[in-house]
Amino acid sequence: MTIKVCIVIPVYNHERALPALLARLKPHGLSCLLVNDGSSPACGQVLRELAAAQGDWLSLLERPANGGKGAAVIDGFRQASARGFSHALQIDADGQHDAADIPAFLALARLYPDAMILGAPRYGADAPRSRVHGRRITNFWIRINTWSDAIADGMCGFRLYPLAAVERLLAGQRVASGMAFDIDIVVRLHWQGVAALNLPTAVRYPEDGVSHFRLFRDNALISATHARLFFGMLLRLPVLLLRRLR
């Protein structure tokens, strides 16, 4: 099957890390959409200059105010779909992810065009223990809320989505707009019957990296998302149990 893939990058004040990331992405020959999620004027200027200088493959979508990672990614997905792309490859702007794995994502998507291809992080010694521990808790709750081991990691921001499935989901359900987005959408797509394929990928935490994760606020929002998904799981439990027994 022929697929048409666009890279979607949510950006909030990542002007220092972004040029190096774009240099790693460009050789892969994919169109790329930057979503400016209400960044500072300085970051916005950098994004506009990058898009103007590399308009052959790079475009910019400007959001009027910061709405959170999920809001930015969703706007990017909608724009990609409107432009005729069949799939969107989400990657974070902070340079954590290994762009060399893009061909592996694309190869899996060609074989399984209806599936979501999820990055399964391989951590190095630079990974903060709090992040790794938090991932374990999140993945535990995802297994409960899906009654499945299909999703290896619920928070990795390096993923390839089939946009038709995303459109169906967004037409009927509200998905978290902030840092809990990655968790919320992957569980809801699983409920919708979208298969998950997990692709191991290295994740690095550069010392000068910019993270907008706020320990207490975002963990509270993530916990609330797990709770909402839990009650949603209870409503879907007969279907999930039947799926597991097949």
Side-chain angles (χ1 to χ4, degrees), residues 48-123:
R48 287 185 286 275
E49 291 173 356
L50 288 168
Q54 304 183 54
D56 57 326
W57 74 289
L58 197 62
S59 57
L60 176 63
L61 174 63
E62 303 251 20
R63 303 190 76 254
N66 179 252
K69 178 181 182 179
V73 174
I74 288 170
D75 281 358
F77 286 170
R78 285 174 168 152
Q79 184 69 232
S81 184
R83 295 183 184 184
F85 291 96
S86 63
H87 291 72
L89 178 68
Q90 173 192 338
I91 189 168
D92 289 343
D94 56 10
Q96 289 186 7
H97 303 300
D98 189 355
D101 287 332
I102 287 177
F105 277 91
L106 298 179
L108 279 175
R110 292 187 189 101
L111 289 173
Y112 306 97
D114 296 325
M116 48 183 168
I117 316 300
L118 308 176
R122 297 197 310 261
Y123 297 110

Side-chain angles (χ1 to χ4, degrees), residues 5 81 86 93 96 106 109 136 198 231 233 235:
V5 181
S81 184
S86 63
Q96 289 186 7
L106 298 179
R136 290 179 182 141
N198 301 290
F231 289 109
M233 175 273 292
L235 295 174

